[in-house]
Amino acid sequence: MKQTIVLDLSKLPPHGLGTASLTWWGTLAFMLIEGTGFALAIAVYLYLMSLAPQWPLHAPAPDLLAGTVLTLLLIASLFPNILVARWAKAQDLRKVRIGLIVMSLLGIAPLIVRVFEFPAMHLNWDQNAYGSIVWVMLGLHTTHILTDLIDTLVLTALMFSRHGDNPRRYGDISDNAMYWNFVVATWLPMYICLYWVPRL
Amino acid sequence: MVRGRTLANRLLLTSALLALTVGCGFLGWMRQPRELRTNPPVLADLSRFRLMSNGIGGAPPESYFAEAEPYENDAYNLSQGKRLYTWFGCAACHGDGRGAAGPSFLDGWWLYGPEMVSIVASIRDGRPHGMPAFRDRMTIEQIWQLAGYVQTIGAYSAKVAATGRNDGPQTRPSENRAPAVMLFEEGPVGVNPDQGPSP
Amino acid sequence: MTPLDNVADLRDTDLNDVELDRRLASTWATPKGVWGALSTVDHKIIGRRYIITAFVFLALGGILSLAMRLQLAQPEARFIGPDRYNQIFTMHGTNMMFLFAVPVMEAMAVYLVPLMVGTRNIAFPRLNAFSYWMYLAGGLLLWIAFAIDTGPDVGWFADVPLSGPQYAAGKRADIWAQMITFTEVSALAVAVELVVTVFKQRAPGMSLDQIPLFVWSMLVTSFLIIMAMPAIMIASTALILDRLVGTQFFNPAEGGDVLLWQHLFWFFGHPEVYIIFLPAVGMVSTIVATFTRRPVFGYLGMVMALIATGILAFGLWVHHMFVAGLPRLGESFFTASSMAIAIPSGLQIFCWLATIWAGRPVFKTPFLFVIGFMVIFVIGGMTGVMVASVPFDTQVHDTYFVVAHFHYVLVGGAVFPLLGAIYYWFPKITGRMMNETIGRWAFGLIFTGFNLTFFPMHILGLQGMPRRIYTYQPEMPWSGLNMFVSLSAVILAAGFLLFFIDAIRSALSGPVAPANPWCASTLEWATSSPPPAYNFSRMPVVGSLEPLVDNSGALPVASGLFVDRRELVVTSVVGALPEARESSPGDSIWPLWSALATTVLLIWSIFTPWAVVWGSVPLAIALTGWFWPKGTKEDDA
Amino acid sequence: MRMSPIIWMSTIAIISGCTGNQSAINPKGAPAIHIAHLMSGIVAVCTLVWLLVMVMLVWALLRKRSDAGEQARERGLTTTVSAAVGATAVIIAGMTIASFYTTRDIGIPGEAALTITVRGQQWWWQVIYADPDPALTFQTANEIHIPVGRDVHVQLESTDVVHSFWVPSLAGKQDLVPGRTNSLLLRAERPGIYRGQCAEFCGLQHTHMAMMVIAEDPESFERWAVAQRGNSVNPGKPDAVAGQVAFIAKPCAACHTVRGTPAMGTTGPDLTHVGSRKTIAAGLLETTRGSLAAWIADPQTLKPGNNMPMVPLTSVELKNISAYMESLK
């Protein structure tokens, strides 16, 4: 087919940032998938609760300490996270490197606290349906912290390599920061569900 | 670059073939065709095992090996055995496997040894101190199925074919998680007064 | 060597057409040989692979159905025992839903959507390669398991407690649950790619109201997948945990619930029907427009109907549970919502009728399949309204009436359009035409065979024949119709055989196809048949719904992209205004390694939960290798 | 032309012969009749709509075309399509309302005088006629007797997996879900034997899990209930006497109960009055001495995978036990 050139694209930037980036939209789509998963896990929790004669089933309400510490930790991590995203946008390599190291540490810290959340539920996954759903919810969220942590670690390594100083990498970092916001955001309803709903 | 590709190419093909072979072998090992109606001659052979004179240990019939020990390794038989455990009231004396009036299957003690033949003989012929004979209440195949299940409860490492938890109130971890290991508390081992004739 | 080779960052603006094609080909083409085949990320090669694999599964599933028909032809037949029969019908359903219907629709989209929106590759092409390998591994797992007598035997819906730890001995149900994970991962990956491709990679100027209807339907379908698949993910995970580590999700004695499974499964399972049907709506719209020589009547209405169907799809899962003993008020609500979905479907049917009425129909094979679709699907829709009524459903639920109903919906509503679509796009995909005469015969046989096979099943169901029975007693009045159905199935099978023969023969030696054999109006016909590796030598610019009709002289295009790296253009979501040039990733073997690592993890996890821990190590390594930059121009742009 | 009653009757007989006694389109119970009315209404409307659509399709495909007046036609089409969608909505609303009314007409079980508990098991039906007085409570299997013209409340439970209770000639189906209790209303309008069958896939022998509902006049029902409450009759004939001895000595007694004998097993169906039932093995075979013998001799060939084992018996034992079973009227 014959062609007539009607548009010149050569002035466009060679890589889009933010909503012009494909990975931004891909991350968003994966957040939608996982968000639906979290919502369904909460729905299962509430469904089982609606059937149970008392709730929690055969266990005292979970201890608040570990869960609350983790929640505060996650909320606190949002500030450096937002800063990292901002630095990535400014393509400031030095600050991004420092920020990523901080975020790596802030990814490891909640995992350590998480270890104490499982016993705080006062029962095991195989004791009854309540135990099953709370362990699965905690496990589901833990895998999200873990995968984002691994992503952060890989990106940190990348930023110290020769591939670091590149707009594409900065885009990856802000997508990763967005994903961490999502990991924190999904935890809040889970926290309320796991720790406060049984106290209603 | 080109050489690197060829090498990687070969490596890839070899590993793919290897993975395929391992995969098929693995699946072949998992293969469990269900025998819904065992041949009567094979069934009859099941009662022809040889037991040591002290009632502990012995040799199953040849055909049992020929069939690849179906009552120990086949998930369907083990799950049938589990149903029989309930249906024939084993729990009345042995509880969930931890014993009550009868001995426990989970504490590491096998009064007559952990071999299938001993367990089959115990169920079929009964034992002193209250174990009744089920000879006239179960068929020999049911006895073997039940024995396979009983052996699984007390196994120290879970069998792949072991059954999962029951739908019902839970009293101990399910068979496929090796409850014997999880529940057995090691303590000073004394002489068990109920131990068989020659310890 | 031409002097231009030394120029860094060469753009297409500076090149004549021949030189441009040569350079683009060397940038985009997949290298020959095994390595190239395993590492390719070309959406056309992967899409073709996906389509062929899905049709192989269709043929295998068809053979299973013939085995079932042989067994059911007479009462008390002893051809297949109950154990094998249960595996066969489970395999048939699982295979057709998870390995054929959903993947084949996504496969068509993987091939066609980038072409239809005028871009050079799908978004996230490596993820696309990964999704194919996952799909293949899942299919192989299921079929190898079946071949060695360990196939799942709990039904494609795997209701607990029958599929639970107590009643499903062995690994059969675990294989079902993990196979779901495989296909779910691949379906979700493709859905994400499609959403992003449609949102961000449309040709400059192709605003939201100028997207071809097939692309719209795939967009809605992708959102359905994204929202529905997590439900089955949660369900199958809970099932595996119940079976493997003794969780109590489905154990009523410990606070679990049997119906929880059904809620989760059907919250996925009903949208699943629309995941299969909506792409077919898009195919029908495309074929109708081409063969009536006019755009589809009521474009806006069609799009609204697609979206309405997509939303309503999540509000009617309970109609699969009308006899489970739920509260009556809830049931009434779901009757109303299930019936309501007939309204958007009706709107679509009427719009197509209006299109045909106002157009000038050309009776080629693809159009014949669409006519067949109209006849059959309307019946399926009618019986769908019937089963939406609670009292009606209590008589026909789980009977052959329902078997007839959903075959009318799925075969009539999806397979007929799909076969039409194959005839329609075959020249684009292979560069060769299919045979019109054989096509007509195949259509005739499939149409006749289908109706003769499935219509009597309505009557069998009303006469009290339940589903999923491996035989029936001679005193039941079903043997005559069953024999008739089994014989008719042979006609149906003959039609499919003819179709397969035609497809293979035409692909090898059919007449060479021109770029646009049907005088169609959408962008995929603007490029050669089959398209080059880079799809379009310059990015098309779109100004209407029918870019090829309105620009019959020359295609408006945009220039300014690099030719020495895989570049395409990113546009805005609503107006498709160019936002950036973007490098599309090159070939990579890492998606295959990642898929293999995931396969090992998933199969291993049937045996021990520790597999999730240890199996994730190689997976993490493979994924890091996937994303680690290799220093190519695409990576560093 | 008036059809003579005999021809009329025989036509009915032929039709019902064709559809059998397990058929949703040959209803004999009040709920099933309500549903059948609804079904025929919806099917009629749908058929009409389908025919209309097909006429439209054929017309659209084959009509003669001229080039004039395209603009006006497009506008006309919009009106037609909108009208068609509107009509669809109206029809759909009508069917929804009709469906609600039918649900209401079927009524809710609960106030019925007679309550029967049916427990689904892999792969047979345990039927319990509970009575406040435990002495009057009795159980049977795979055969439900109900009085004609009275509401019967069937309480549905499951001991293992999900089953579904379906006697199409009398009522729609209802699932038996472990951990829950469901209810169904049965009401037979005329006496007869209605076959029902499990309608939810429940494992290996889902196929052979049928039951008979026998609707009879209240007097015969009462007589039957009295007979069922009693212990088993003592066998008279010598082979049956020997059969009883063998039954108790062999594994049979471990799973089956025969009230009035030491056989107290609860795993299999209660056999106290097995000889009075129409069928054995959940509707698989008619109760005759031969079928009983065949069943006992090799249950795994007749119903592969069911839970009754093949008990090795001598031919004499087999003959005697089947004689005993047959005598348990």
Side-chain angles (χ1 to χ4, degrees):
Chain A
M1 201 161 182
K2 260 193 258 160
Q3 302 177 336
T4 43
I5 297 177
V6 296
L7 195 67
D8 180 21
L9 303 171
S10 56
K11 295 287 180 293
L12 290 176
H15 176 65
L17 289 170
T19 57
S21 139
L22 298 181
T23 43
W24 188 88
W25 286 91
T27 313
L28 205 64
F30 275 103
M31 277 163 31
L32 186 57
I33 293 170
E34 281 143 37
T36 314
F38 281 116
L40 282 163
I42 292 175
V44 170
Y45 180 97
L46 296 175
Y47 177 86
L48 290 172
M49 187 172 104
S50 75
L51 294 179
Q54 90 268 14
W55 197 259
L57 266 179
H58 312 305
D63 293 340
L64 284 171
L65 179 67
T68 312
V69 168
L70 183 121
T71 311
L72 295 175
L73 205 57
L74 286 180
I75 292 173
S77 74
L78 286 178
F79 298 102
N81 191 46
I82 289 165
L83 282 179
V84 169
R86 201 171 288 166
W87 294 330
K89 198 172 272 175
Q91 310 209 347
D92 186 334
L93 183 62
R94 201 180 56 85
K95 282 185 181 164
V96 163
R97 281 178 176 170
I98 296 168
L100 280 177
I101 292 171
V102 172
M103 282 314 295
S104 301
L105 295 174
L106 280 173
I108 295 168
L111 285 177
I112 296 168
V113 183
R114 180 54 54 81
V115 173
F116 297 97
E117 277 193 81
F118 288 97
M121 295 293 150
H122 297 300
L123 82 174
N124 283 341
W125 69 91
D126 58 350
Q127 280 171 289
N128 60 38
Y130 167 70
S132 306
I133 184 64
V134 295
W135 275 70
V136 164
M137 283 166 80
L138 286 174
L140 193 64
H141 193 258
T142 309
T143 52
H144 280 76
I145 298 184
L146 200 62
T147 45
D148 196 87
L149 171 65
I150 293 169
D151 197 15
T152 312
L153 291 173
V154 172
L155 280 173
T156 313
L158 252 178
M159 290 319 279
F160 282 95
S161 79
R162 67 187 168 86
H163 302 290
D165 202 3
N166 175 313
R168 204 170 280 269
R169 298 295 95 71
Y170 290 116
D172 291 345
I173 288 164
S174 52
D175 289 345
N176 183 51
M178 176 167 81
Y179 193 77
W180 182 258
N181 290 339
F182 167 75
V183 171
V184 176
T186 49
W187 172 249
L188 299 178
M190 301 263 277
Y191 169 69
I192 293 168
C193 191
L194 287 174
Y195 289 92
W196 292 99
V197 167
R199 289 166 201 273
L200 286 179
Chain B
M1 189 66 200
V2 175
R3 264 201 63 187
R5 279 242 163 126
T6 340
L7 185 69
N9 215 331
R10 274 200 206 130
L11 245 161
L12 183 76
L13 276 181
T14 324
S15 52
L17 275 177
L18 205 75
L20 212 68
T21 324
V22 172
C24 288
F26 178 67
L27 285 162
W29 165 70
M30 274 169 54
R31 179 184 144 83
Q32 281 165 4
R34 260 168 219 188
E35 202 68 62
L36 297 179
R37 179 186 182 277
T38 314
N39 263 340
V42 176
L43 280 185
D45 204 33
L46 282 177
S47 29
R48 283 186 220 114
F49 54 86
R50 293 181 302 279
L51 196 64
M52 304 276 279
S53 54
N54 60 7
I56 303 175
E62 292 297 319
S63 65
Y64 184 60
F65 296 107
E67 308 256 310
E69 307 177 332
Y71 300 107
E72 284 163 85
N73 302 326
D74 183 84
Y76 180 67
N77 283 320
L78 289 179
S79 73
Q80 288 297 101
K82 181 171 183 164
R83 305 178 110 181
L84 295 169
Y85 188 87
T86 319
W87 287 346
F88 284 87
C90 307
C93 296
H94 298 282
D96 62 0
R98 273 183 288 201
S104 163
F105 303 128
L106 287 163
D107 61 0
W109 276 103
W110 288 96
L111 298 181
Y112 302 93
E115 291 88 5
M116 277 293 276
V117 167
S118 305
I119 306 173
V120 169
S122 301
I123 300 170
R124 187 184 69 174
D125 306 332
R127 296 286 187 184
H129 306 294
M131 172 74 190
F134 282 81
R135 191 186 292 113
D136 293 331
R137 295 205 248 162
M138 302 170 83
T139 66
I140 189 68
E141 181 172 36
Q142 288 180 318
I143 291 175
W144 277 85
Q145 287 173 330
L146 179 56
Y149 171 67
V150 168
Q151 196 195 41
T152 306
I153 311 180
Y156 268 71
S157 58
K159 290 176 188 171
V160 167
T163 51
R165 65 151 175 78
N166 258 8
D167 288 329
Q170 305 296 297
T171 53
R172 60 160 168 81
S174 54
E175 291 79 355
N176 60 352
R177 298 170 60 208
V181 177
M182 296 165 78
L183 295 176
F184 177 48
E185 285 160 23
E186 228 169 317
V189 179
V191 177
N192 194 322
D194 288 337
Q195 201 172 339
S198 47
Chain C
M1 188 174 250
T2 59
L4 284 171
D5 276 347
N6 299 322
V7 180
D9 295 345
L10 195 62
R11 293 184 193 258
D12 55 4
T13 329
D14 317 324
L15 297 169
N16 66 33
D17 286 358
V18 177
E19 183 64 17
L20 177 61
D21 285 345
R22 193 184 68 81
R23 280 168 186 276
L24 281 173
S26 83
T27 304
W28 284 87
T30 296
K32 290 218 170 359
V34 182
W35 188 265
L38 295 177
S39 58
T40 185
V41 296
D42 184 341
H43 77 100
K44 294 178 293 299
I45 296 176
I46 293 168
R48 209 166 57 205
R49 234 175 238 176
Y50 238 123
I51 296 171
I52 293 170
T53 316
F55 270 94
V56 169
F57 286 129
L58 170 72
L60 288 170
I63 292 169
L64 291 183
S65 62
L66 286 179
M68 286 190 282
R69 281 324 314 173
L70 185 58
Q71 164 72 10
L72 290 178
Q74 300 167 41
E76 292 290 7
R78 299 259 153 172
F79 174 60
I80 302 170
D83 186 42
R84 201 63 176 175
Y85 189 89
N86 291 351
Q87 288 185 51
I88 288 178
F89 84 70
T90 304
M91 285 292 294
H92 176 76
T94 310
N95 173 76
M96 288 307 199
M97 294 300 266
F98 292 105
L99 297 179
F100 168 66
V102 175
V104 83
M105 294 302 175
E106 293 198 313
M108 295 296 279
V110 162
Y111 194 99
L112 292 169
V113 164
L115 286 164
M116 290 177 108
V117 302
T119 186
R120 282 178 171 162
N121 204 349
I122 199 163
F124 315 122
R126 291 183 182 174
L127 188 63
N128 196 24
F130 173 77
S131 86
Y132 173 75
W133 298 122
M134 286 300 291
Y135 162 60
L136 184 66
L140 286 177
L141 168 69
L142 188 70
W143 275 94
I144 293 176
F146 176 69
I148 60 170
D149 210 351
T150 313
D153 57 354
V154 290
W156 88 279
F157 48 92
D159 271 1
V160 292
L162 191 61
S163 63
Q166 190 178 356
Y167 295 97
K171 294 295 170 197
R172 294 171 166 192
D174 298 302
I175 285 171
W176 179 86
Q178 270 327 34
M179 195 283 308
I180 299 292
T181 313
F182 278 90
T183 52
E184 184 185 282
V185 166
S186 79
L188 282 168
V190 174
V192 169
E193 295 152 19
L194 289 174
V195 167
V196 178
T197 309
V198 177
F199 272 178
K200 297 304 291 178
Q201 290 190 195
R202 300 200 305 277
M206 186 188 268
S207 53
L208 279 185
D209 55 348
Q210 288 170 9
I211 306 181
L213 279 171
F214 177 72
V215 176
W216 259 117
S217 73
M218 283 315 305
L219 183 65
V220 177
T221 303
S222 300
F223 273 106
L224 278 182
I225 291 173
I226 286 174
M227 307 292 290
M229 288 269 178
I232 185 81
M233 177 175 80
I234 298 269
S236 67
T237 306
L239 177 62
I240 278 221
L241 290 175
D242 264 20
R243 294 176 55 88
L244 189 63
V245 299
T247 56
Q248 310 287 351
F249 285 104
F250 306 121
N251 178 6
E254 292 288 2
D257 184 40
V258 169
L259 293 186
L260 172 62
W261 168 267
Q262 298 189 17
H263 280 297
L264 285 172
F265 185 83
W266 291 115
F267 186 77
F268 144 81
H270 200 84
E272 167 95 341
V273 174
Y274 294 95
I275 289 171
I276 295 165
F277 171 63
L278 291 186
V281 169
M283 291 168 179
V284 170
S285 300
T286 313
I287 296 172
V288 164
T290 299
F291 292 95
T292 58
R293 304 271 174 262
R294 57 153 291 152
V296 169
F297 175 85
Y299 176 86
L300 188 64
M302 291 296 283
V303 173
M304 288 300 148
L306 282 171
I307 296 172
T309 312
I311 293 169
L312 277 175
F314 287 99
L316 28 81
W317 81 92
V318 169
H319 78 216
H320 296 266
M321 301 166 65
F322 277 161
V323 298
L326 296 173
R328 234 183 227 179
L329 188 67
E331 287 183 347
S332 304
F333 169 78
F334 284 97
T335 291
S337 63
S338 308
M339 294 246 182
I341 206 154
I343 296 171
S345 308
L347 174 65
Q348 287 162 345
I349 297 276
F350 299 133
C351 284
W352 290 320
L353 281 176
T355 315
I356 297 172
W357 192 86
R360 296 171 179 283
V362 181
F363 293 88
K364 296 273 190 188
T365 309
F367 193 56
L368 292 183
F369 275 103
V370 166
I371 298 172
F373 153 81
M374 296 268 207
V375 177
I376 293 170
F377 177 70
V378 176
I379 297 182
M382 298 291 172
T383 50
V385 167
M386 296 176 194
V387 296
S389 151
V390 175
F392 201 124
D393 188 61
T394 59
Q395 281 291 24
V396 296
H397 185 82
D398 273 335
T399 70
Y400 264 77
F401 186 91
V402 169
V403 177
H405 156 68
F406 69 73
H407 280 93
Y408 265 79
V409 170
L410 292 174
V411 179
V415 176
F416 269 72
L418 176 71
L419 294 180
I422 294 289
Y423 273 91
Y424 179 67
W425 278 299
F426 194 86
K428 182 51 63 187
I429 297 173
T430 63
R432 292 175 186 278
M433 304 294 292
M434 281 178 88
N435 187 309
E436 190 64 27
T437 320
I438 302 184
R440 278 159 196 269
W441 273 98
F443 167 74
L445 283 173
I446 293 176
F447 183 81
T448 320
F450 174 82
N451 283 297
L452 292 180
T453 304
F454 289 100
F455 195 82
M457 289 188 188
H458 290 115
I459 300 163
L460 278 172
L462 292 173
Q463 285 182 346
M465 181 166 168
R467 287 168 82 173
R468 301 167 186 136
I469 53 172
Y470 76 98
T471 189
Y472 49 93
Q473 283 151 254
E475 60 264 31
M476 303 313 289
W478 308 324
S479 45
L481 273 181
N482 268 305
M483 176 57 95
F484 179 80
V485 162
S486 293
L487 292 175
S488 309
V490 177
I491 303 179
L492 183 57
F496 272 101
L497 190 64
L498 206 57
F499 166 78
F500 279 115
I501 290 171
D502 187 19
I504 294 168
R505 219 186 57 127
S506 305
L508 298 176
S509 62
V512 175
N516 188 0
W518 312 114
C519 303
S521 63
T522 39
L523 275 184
E524 76 272 28
W525 304 103
T527 183
S528 60
S529 302
Y534 45 90
N535 290 357
F536 301 96
S537 54
R538 293 191 177 90
M539 308 312 290
V541 175
V542 175
S544 83
L545 191 55
E546 298 192 292
L548 299 200
V549 171
D550 302 343
N551 303 297
S552 37
L555 188 71
V557 293
S559 70
L561 297 185
F562 287 125
V563 294
D564 60 343
R565 68 197 68 168
R566 300 186 169 191
E567 251 193 352
L568 39 80
V569 71
V570 174
T571 55
S572 62
V573 174
V574 178
L577 304 170
E579 288 183 329
R581 293 176 287 135
E582 182 66 66
S583 293
S584 181
D587 295 347
S588 167
I589 195 69
W590 288 103
L592 176 59
W593 291 130
S594 306
L596 279 175
T598 319
T599 303
V600 169
L601 188 162
L602 288 179
I603 297 181
W604 192 6
S605 73
I606 295 177
F607 297 93
T608 163
W610 290 106
V612 179
V613 177
W614 302 121
S616 60
V617 174
L619 180 60
I621 294 170
L623 288 176
T624 309
W626 177 340
F627 289 109
W628 196 266
K630 311 291 183 299
T632 59
K633 285 177 176 166
E634 280 88 355
D635 282 331
D636 290 334
Chain D
M1 196 188 86
R2 266 197 58 177
M3 243 194 272
S4 80
I6 294 172
I7 296 177
W8 187 223
M9 291 299 283
S10 58
T11 320
I12 290 177
I14 288 165
I15 291 170
S16 54
C18 286
T19 52
N21 52 5
Q22 177 177 324
S23 169
I25 42 180
N26 186 19
K28 297 287 162 53
I33 291 170
H34 286 301
I35 298 174
H37 287 159
L38 176 77
M39 288 187 353
S40 38
I42 293 184
V43 169
V45 173
C46 286
T47 312
L48 199 69
V49 173
W50 181 77
L51 285 173
L52 270 173
V53 174
M54 289 307 109
V55 169
M56 287 298 298
L57 176 66
V58 172
W59 185 41
L61 285 169
L62 302 179
R63 78 182 181 97
K64 279 221 163 53
R65 276 142 171 106
S66 64
D67 287 329
E70 280 303 321
Q71 278 294 326
R73 225 179 269 154
E74 204 83 351
R75 233 173 293 128
L77 276 181
T78 311
T79 324
T80 319
V81 167
S82 314
V85 173
T88 310
V90 170
I91 293 171
I92 291 298
M95 286 180 187
T96 310
I97 291 165
S99 162
F100 291 163
Y101 273 102
T102 308
T103 307
R104 213 180 56 176
D105 287 344
I106 291 170
I108 34 171
E111 297 103 53
L114 177 61
T115 298
I116 304 170
T117 301
V118 173
R119 243 181 234 142
Q121 308 215 19
Q122 281 181 328
W123 292 275
W124 58 283
W125 307 89
Q126 185 183 21
V127 184
I128 300 162
Y129 286 76
D131 198 282
D133 177 4
L136 296 179
T137 299
F138 64 92
Q139 65 163 293
T140 174
N142 304 323
E143 191 167 296
I144 302 170
H145 285 244
I146 56 171
V148 164
R150 295 210 185 139
D151 285 355
V152 178
H153 173 197
V154 184
Q155 195 168 306
L156 301 164
E157 294 163 8
S158 168
T159 54
D160 38 45
V161 301
V162 182
H163 303 278
S164 192
F165 181 92
W166 186 38
V167 188
S169 304
L170 295 182
K173 63 180 72 63
Q174 189 69 248
D175 285 356
L176 299 83
V177 184
R180 290 174 182 244
T181 303
N182 282 343
S183 293
L184 186 72
L185 184 86
L186 281 189
R187 183 190 168 96
E189 295 299 341
R190 46 175 94 173
I193 302 172
Y194 306 104
R195 192 176 186 273
Q197 189 164 355
C198 177
E200 179 64 82
F201 177 60
C202 58
L204 280 169
Q205 279 301 331
H206 166 57
T207 299
H208 291 127
M209 186 171 164
M211 94 291 279
M212 297 292 162
V213 175
I214 298 172
E216 51 200 354
D217 57 84
E219 293 75 41
S220 344
F221 171 75
E222 223 25 74
R223 270 202 303 281
W224 173 84
V226 169
Q228 293 285 316
R229 267 179 212 126
N231 283 348
S232 64
V233 288
N234 281 322
K237 290 185 191 147
D239 53 353
V241 174
Q244 185 181 36
V245 173
F247 184 88
I248 290 160
K250 288 281 167 182
C252 317
C255 291
H256 294 287
T257 293
V258 177
R259 273 175 273 139
T261 75
M264 302 280 269
T266 51
T267 305
D270 184 309
L271 297 179
T272 310
H273 300 288
V274 65
S276 73
R277 296 182 204 149
K278 294 269 179 282
T279 60
I280 55 166
L284 179 65
L285 299 165
E286 225 174 289
T287 313
T288 65
R289 193 148 161 188
S291 65
L292 280 163
W295 172 249
I296 297 164
D298 195 352
Q300 294 299 329
T301 295
L302 293 168
K303 197 170 167 178
N306 86 84
N307 289 314
M308 172 141 157
M310 187 159 50
V311 178
L313 295 171
T314 64
S315 56
V316 177
E317 283 167 338
L318 181 63
K319 188 174 136 282
N320 291 342
I321 291 179
S322 37
Y324 174 54
M325 289 291 106
E326 195 201 12
S327 75
L328 291 173
K329 294 288 185 197

